[in-house]
Structure formats: structure tokens, C-alpha cells
Amino acid sequence: MKIEEIYEMWAKDSEIDQTNVSGESANIPKLHNKYFRIYMEEGMRLKQSRAKYKQLKLLKEQYYKGDLDITELKQYGWEPQPLKILRQDIPTYIDADQDIIDMSLKLGMQEEKVNYLEAIIKMISNRGFQLKTIVDWERFRTGAMW
């Protein structure tokens, strides 16, 4: 799921109908279920992305060491490494590698998506308190007795 889709869904779902506080209160479990399911799916994608990143990083380390044979290089579409790189310089080359950078950006985006979903779930968990505050304010405003 794209983060933009989550933004749009939450923009609609975050609105509170102050004229129907009891309905909004009854809707809290549905919202929690909806966003928790998305959170779980995106959390699994994050774990998969982290695993793929680790695998790619290991492959790139082998690539820069010169440990990959021609068939492995062809499998990944990489050219043979023409430089003799010192062992201590390999992390610098890996950090600057475009495949690693691209995967890092995807991983970072997935982490941001999961963090955003965590924040939504926290807001949903606090929604009951927000609704109580609305009710209390309306009682105070209208002069109703407790």
C-alpha cells in the first residue's frame, strides 16, 4: 500500500462527527482493526525489506572483494569489478553503491510508513479520551450538570 493511500484514508477516518459522539465511540474498534491490519502487513514488508537489504549488502561485499564468479555476476547483471579494493575501503564502496542507496531509500520509506501507522494507532487508542473531552466541553458550554 502506498503511503499516499494511507494519508487519504486517515484524512477521512480521523474526522470526528461531534453530533454523533456515541457513534464515533462505537467506531473506535473498527478503526483500530483497520489500521492495525495495515500496520501488521506493512510491518511484515519492513522485515522483508530489511532481510533483502542484508542479502544485497553481503552480495555487494562479495562483489567488491572479487569473490563472485562470472555466472553470479551475470545473474545479477553486474560487470566484473575492475578495481583492486583494499579490505578496509570496501564499506565506503558499499555505502556509495547505487543499488545499496536505492534499497536504503526503499527501506527508509517503509520505516516511515510503519512509524506513521504506529502514530495513527496511538491516536485511535486515545480517541475515547478525545470524545470524552468533547462531551465534557459540551456539558460545560451548555451549563449541564454532571
Side-chain angles (χ1 to χ4, degrees), residues 88-99:
Q88 69 262 18
D89 292 338
I90 290 175
T92 304
Y93 279 85
I94 289 174
D95 288 342
D97 187 276
Q98 192 60 50
D99 293 332

Side-chain angles (χ1 to χ4, degrees), residues 33-99:
N33 182 51
K34 175 182 178 179
Y35 286 97
F36 200 76
R37 288 181 64 201
I38 296 169
Y39 170 75
M40 293 297 292
E41 291 169 6
E42 296 300 330
M44 290 303 297
R45 283 192 187 102
L46 176 59
K47 288 176 183 173
Q48 290 170 345
S49 294
R50 284 181 179 151
K52 287 179 184 177
Y53 177 80
K54 288 178 183 179
Q55 290 173 333
L56 178 62
K57 194 169 182 179
L58 177 62
L59 277 171
K60 287 296 182 168
E61 187 174 317
Q62 292 171 335
Y63 172 72
Y64 285 111
K65 285 181 182 176
D67 292 345
L68 299 179
D69 61 28
I70 293 295
T71 56
E72 290 172 312
L73 291 172
K74 284 183 181 179
Q75 178 184 351
Y76 298 111
W78 299 340
E79 295 295 320
Q81 174 57 337
L83 304 174
K84 179 68 177 161
I85 300 172
L86 298 175
R87 186 174 292 277
Q88 69 262 18
D89 292 338
I90 290 175
T92 304
Y93 279 85
I94 289 174
D95 288 342
D97 187 276
Q98 192 60 50
D99 293 332

Side-chain angles (χ1 to χ4, degrees), residues 6-21:
I6 299 170
Y7 290 155
E8 290 174 21
M9 282 190 323
W10 182 239
K12 292 176 188 172
D13 292 339
S14 66
E15 294 178 10
I16 295 176
D17 180 5
Q18 294 185 17
T19 62
N20 186 14
V21 176

